[in-house]
Amino acid sequence: NIQGDEESPHASRIIQQTMPILRKQPTDDTLVDDELEYRNNLLLEKMSANEGHAATEECRVEKGKTLTSTNNHKSRWMDKSKFRAHFKISFLSDKKIATCIYCGKMFKENESTGNLSRHIIKIHSAQYKSYERQSSKESTLDMLARKTRSLPLSDSLIAEIKHNRGAYLTIMLVTEALLPFRAVEYTSWKLLSNAMPGFSLIRSRNTIPGKLKQYSGYFREALFQLLKNSTFLNIQLDIWSGGNGRSYLAISASFPPNILDEHRMSAVGDVRIILNNDGEPVNCHLLDFVDFSDKKHTGEKICVKVIEVLNEFGILHKAASITVDNATNNIAFHSHLINDHLKVARAGAFEQLDGVRLIRCASHVLSLQFHRIVGALMGNTIFEEAFSKITKLAEKLKWSPMLRYSLKNFRLPLIPLEPETRWIFKWRQVNAFLEHRKGYMDWYAAISNRPKFSAIKKHSNLFSYDLKELELLQYFVDCCSIFEIQNKQLQDSQINNISNGMSIYYVLENYYTLCEYARDGGIIPTSSNSVYNFSVLNGPSNLSMEEKQIVLNAILAARPCFQEYLNHFRKNPLYYVATALDPTSKFHDFHNLMTEDEANLKIQETDRFINGYLQRCSTNVETVSDSNMDRTSTP
């Protein structure tokens, strides 16, 4: 995983969603203390996501014919065909019918699937080729992922679901919806429980803490076993500070599939072994959620707590990489972990991979660069005044219920207003305003003369922009769209992985080179690339070179910051190894993203790293084998 900031789709997003609601929980004696509630809610939410469908399966068995498919046809015709996506499958007289989604032609079950493939390739060749081109790793893996589990059900949990389905469903609902415990004592809950006689829903809030602790134990039981069978681990850290002044440290682990058993070893070569329950190659679990409020966030203290948690799960020696943001304390933490502990202990993963690598959060790298760009632009009076007006307008709209309601009636969105630390959202703020500017102007003209909106007339300057301001803002949005594109991509689990780090860094390197070229008067040709169109750096024909240079110089002011992280990236062999071992890229990305000389050099370095790793593994195996022989020959 290459991202670990506040936008991470894992621990920190759960934290952000959980804290505001849990702060509203009553504090009477019937509830457990806050820390237990935080932990159990988080753990059970994860358990719900991974294991919740088991209860549904039980319900299906319980209800029998009511929830069972009405069609018991066992035919596998077309089930595994690569052309399945081009046909809609239906049943006629208990026989399958495949209907082409493009022309509606129907094929009956007794026909050869070859007829269907020839029909698509010959008659709908354009659609077929387009589909093949657009098939990403996500769709390919999703089709193959039907029988894998990222976290197997424990026997204890299966038994609990069978004998106490109502309690399990209650805990699922409480954790998934983050309901207050007192909700189970509402009259509506009682009515719901009475309407479901087959399920004994929990009716007392005093029961829930015990059940949360019990189910959390089942979850940890399965997680312990899963981690025991794992090989290398990536540890992800995120420190989050809440509005109540307290801080929390989330510690997660992501790791390759567990293939150290006969069943999974037999599946080596089948891509399904790397997929989770949702058909995604993501296997990340929250290990702990620690209240860090009473501790200084020094690298040493973070290191002590992380080691404590990893030792609790018996996985410290398996840590192969650490994903953190670029805060100084996190870099210091990595140094303490390596030099004071793993290097001294000569831990397994450390020895085999010749170190524990630091993976810098890609979203944080993007945010730091964008921070510098905006900071440089704020030195320009025209941009600063225009930008400040948009920010003030966003604040007025957000904090006035009357204005929000009026804006909603005009079917206009609010202008995004985010904390100062989330710099990438500044782009979204300006882009949203420009996209709906005419609508905001029309809305203001319609309400400004109404008595109840008289206060807004005092801020009429927030709706007044001259042509130069608008041109500068639009050019800024166009030129900096790459940061928004890459930041959004990182929210996709298919892209948020280390093998795509090379693309992020080398595309940005090319971007800065083109910015310099455009600033010096060069014209960038239009590209056929559907993701990045760098010809926007040319700007519209009516934009003066002086205005272009205001934005481009600000962008280039962030280049030294990027270069620092690019140097760290180039020194980390795991990025290159991951790309080379990714079957969707292999060495193609080396040649597509780098100069020929650099590509050849990096391929050689990657080859040496992989061979060195294999040699160290071979040496370890031989050493173990020799020591075993010595012991057996000793009286």
Side-chain angles (χ1 to χ4, degrees):
N1 207 302
I2 56 173
Q3 122 166 317
D5 74 337
E6 68 266 12
E7 277 202 283
S8 171
H10 302 302
S12 46
R13 181 165 297 173
I14 297 174
I15 296 169
Q16 289 174 316
Q17 293 173 345
T18 305
M19 291 300 299
I21 297 176
L22 292 184
R23 284 200 297 272
K24 298 176 184 177
Q25 297 275 12
T27 56
D28 56 81
D29 294 338
T30 61
L31 295 182
V32 293
D33 60 65
D34 282 350
E35 184 177 357
L36 177 60
E37 191 168 346
Y38 295 151
R39 288 171 182 249
N40 286 335
N41 268 290
L42 287 166
L43 290 173
L44 265 295
E45 176 164 319
K46 191 69 178 178
M47 183 174 71
S48 300
N50 283 286
E51 304 164 347
H53 84 287
T56 305
E57 293 298 321
E58 279 299 314
C59 296
R60 187 173 282 117
V61 173
E62 179 72 15
K63 296 293 183 181
K65 295 181 180 179
T66 303
L67 293 181
T68 303
S69 172
T70 56
N71 195 299
N72 295 318
H73 194 67
K74 301 298 183 183
S75 169
R76 303 303 297 255
W77 183 70
M78 281 297 289
D79 280 0
K80 296 183 178 180
S81 171
K82 64 176 290 188
F83 294 90
R84 172 67 180 81
H86 303 281
F87 292 90
K88 179 181 179 182
I89 304 298
S90 57
F91 290 88
L92 181 64
S93 301
D94 206 32
K95 294 291 183 182
K96 281 186 177 181
I97 300 292
T99 305
C100 176
I101 63 174
Y102 306 116
C103 66
K105 183 172 181 179
M106 294 190 294
F107 297 84
K108 296 182 180 179
E109 184 176 339
N110 56 0
E111 290 197 45
S112 167
T113 55
N115 294 336
L116 284 75
S117 62
R118 283 191 290 273
H119 171 77
I120 294 298
I121 294 173
K122 287 187 175 182
I123 307 301
H124 305 291
S125 59
Q127 292 92 330
Y128 171 69
K129 290 177 182 178
S130 175
Y131 176 82
E132 290 295 303
R133 284 196 301 270
Q134 295 175 9
S135 293
S136 61
K137 285 188 290 184
E138 179 180 2
S139 58
T140 303
L141 297 177
D142 186 61
M143 286 188 292
L144 292 171
R146 299 299 178 211
K147 298 180 180 179
T148 55
R149 296 205 59 80
S150 59
L151 186 60
L153 295 168
S154 69
D155 293 339
S156 305
L157 183 59
I158 292 174
E160 174 70 12
I161 294 172
K162 285 181 178 179
H163 296 100
N164 202 351
R165 291 192 299 273
Y168 181 76
L169 292 175
T170 301
I171 296 301
M172 276 188 63
L173 183 59
V174 166
T175 55
E176 186 175 5
L178 296 174
L179 295 178
F181 294 171
R182 63 181 181 276
V184 300
E185 295 180 347
Y186 292 163
T187 302
S188 56
W189 186 269
K190 181 179 179 180
L191 294 174
L192 178 65
S193 181
N194 292 337
M196 301 172 64
F199 300 90
S200 299
L201 299 179
I202 295 175
R203 301 278 287 274
S204 170
R205 60 180 172 180
N206 296 331
T207 306
I208 293 179
K211 282 296 181 184
L212 279 170
K213 190 172 183 179
Q214 179 184 355
Y215 291 173
S216 296
Y218 295 155
F219 172 76
R220 291 176 73 82
E221 176 187 328
L223 188 55
F224 265 102
Q225 188 59 41
L226 194 66
L227 292 169
K228 179 181 178 182
N229 294 330
S230 65
T231 49
F232 297 143
L233 300 169
N234 167 254
I235 306 302
Q236 296 165 240
L237 306 183
D238 190 21
I239 293 182
W240 182 83
S241 297
N244 60 355
R246 303 195 70 79
S247 300
Y248 301 89
L249 171 65
I251 306 172
S252 301
S254 58
F255 45 95
N258 299 315
I259 59 174
L260 300 180
D261 60 71
E262 185 177 350
H263 173 70
R264 283 187 172 267
M265 283 298 289
S266 66
V268 170
D270 187 339
V271 73
R272 285 177 294 183
I273 66 170
I274 70 170
L275 307 177
N276 66 9
N277 303 342
D278 299 320
E280 299 174 338
V282 178
N283 194 28
C284 184
H285 299 279
L286 181 65
L287 301 180
D288 210 340
F289 180 45
V290 183
D291 190 333
F292 225 64
S293 305
D294 300 328
K295 302 177 181 66
K296 289 185 178 180
H297 300 172
T298 64
E300 187 174 5
K301 290 188 179 297
I302 295 173
C303 184
V304 169
K305 178 50 67 174
V306 170
I307 288 176
E308 179 184 319
V309 172
L310 297 185
N311 277 331
E312 180 184 350
F313 284 92
I315 57 174
L316 177 61
H317 64 291
K318 298 182 180 184
S321 60
I322 310 285
T323 299
V324 294
D325 66 27
N326 301 289
T328 305
N329 55 0
N330 284 328
I331 308 304
F333 147 74
H334 180 258
S335 177
H336 280 293
L337 182 67
I338 298 299
N339 298 314
D340 298 344
H341 298 279
L342 298 179
K343 186 179 288 188
V344 175
R346 310 305 295 178
F350 182 94
E351 286 283 273
Q352 288 183 302
L353 293 172
D354 194 25
V356 175
R357 312 292 169 169
L358 185 67
I359 308 297
R360 295 169 184 265
C361 168
S363 280
H364 199 245
V365 170
L366 292 174
S367 184
L368 289 174
Q369 293 171 71
F370 198 76
H371 182 193
R372 282 162 174 75
I373 293 171
V374 174
L377 280 170
M378 294 300 276
N380 178 271
T381 304
I382 298 174
F383 183 89
E384 192 276 333
E385 289 181 357
F387 185 84
S388 297
K389 285 190 288 187
I390 294 174
T391 301
K392 289 177 183 177
L393 179 58
E395 292 172 349
K396 295 291 181 185
L397 296 178
K398 180 175 181 179
W399 300 115
S400 171
M402 185 170 61
L403 293 179
R404 286 204 312 271
Y405 181 75
S406 176
L407 204 65
K408 184 178 180 181
N409 286 341
F410 272 75
R411 297 184 179 179
L412 289 170
L414 288 171
I415 300 173
L417 184 64
E418 299 293 339
E420 288 294 319
T421 55
R422 304 176 74 177
W423 286 97
I424 200 69
F425 284 88
K426 300 300 181 184
W427 183 94
R428 297 180 189 176
Q429 188 178 82
V430 178
N431 184 62
F433 171 77
L434 293 175
E435 187 176 346
H436 301 282
R437 188 181 69 85
K438 186 180 184 305
Y440 294 134
M441 300 303 113
D442 293 342
W443 167 73
Y444 173 72
I447 69 167
S448 58
N449 292 323
R450 298 179 189 177
K452 66 177 181 178
F453 293 107
S454 58
I456 195 67
K457 294 191 71 173
K458 299 178 183 178
H459 305 285
S460 59
N461 66 310
L462 302 182
F463 297 88
S464 176
Y465 297 81
D466 62 36
L467 182 60
K468 196 166 185 178
E469 286 178 322
L470 294 174
E471 287 176 348
L472 198 60
L473 290 172
Q474 187 62 60
Y475 187 58
F476 158 74
V477 165
D478 292 341
C479 291
C480 295
S481 60
I482 183 175
F483 295 99
E484 170 68 3
I485 292 170
Q486 290 196 337
N487 191 65
K488 273 192 172 181
Q489 287 177 337
L490 287 170
Q491 311 315 309
D492 183 348
S493 59
Q494 302 296 324
I495 298 176
N496 180 25
N497 56 68
I498 193 172
S499 63
N500 285 307
M502 183 187 293
S503 174
I504 290 172
Y505 279 92
Y506 280 98
V507 166
L508 278 172
E509 184 184 33
N510 184 45
Y511 165 73
Y512 282 109
T513 301
L514 292 175
C515 283
E516 183 178 31
Y517 180 67
R519 183 200 61 183
D520 295 338
I523 302 299
I524 300 166
T526 302
S527 171
S528 59
N529 190 314
S530 60
V531 179
Y532 305 107
N533 177 21
F534 291 130
S535 64
V536 297
L537 297 173
N538 297 325
S541 57
N542 61 334
L543 190 69
S544 70
M545 179 57 71
E546 180 186 3
E547 290 173 311
K548 286 177 59 175
Q549 288 179 342
I550 291 171
V551 174
L552 294 174
N553 281 329
I555 293 173
L556 291 170
R559 196 179 196 176
C561 170
F562 167 72
Q563 193 63 48
E564 177 186 346
Y565 293 114
L566 179 63
N567 292 338
H568 288 303
F569 168 85
R570 283 186 164 133
K571 293 176 183 177
N572 190 337
L574 291 191
Y575 286 104
Y576 298 94
V577 171
T579 304
L581 297 180
D582 187 334
T584 65
S585 58
K586 298 184 179 179
F587 287 118
H588 300 304
D589 281 359
F590 286 71
H591 295 288
N592 291 336
L593 296 169
M594 310 176 199
T595 64
E596 194 63 25
D597 288 343
E598 185 180 7
N600 291 332
L601 176 64
K602 288 300 180 182
I603 288 173
Q604 292 173 10
E605 290 177 358
T606 301
D607 187 55
R608 283 197 297 270
F609 183 91
I610 293 174
N611 286 329
Y613 163 73
L614 294 174
Q615 186 175 7
R616 285 188 291 273
C617 288
S618 176
T619 302
N620 289 340
V621 170
E622 291 173 4
T623 301
V624 172
S625 178
D626 291 343
S627 62
N628 286 339
M629 290 176 63
D630 291 339
R631 283 196 297 271
T632 55
S633 61
T634 302

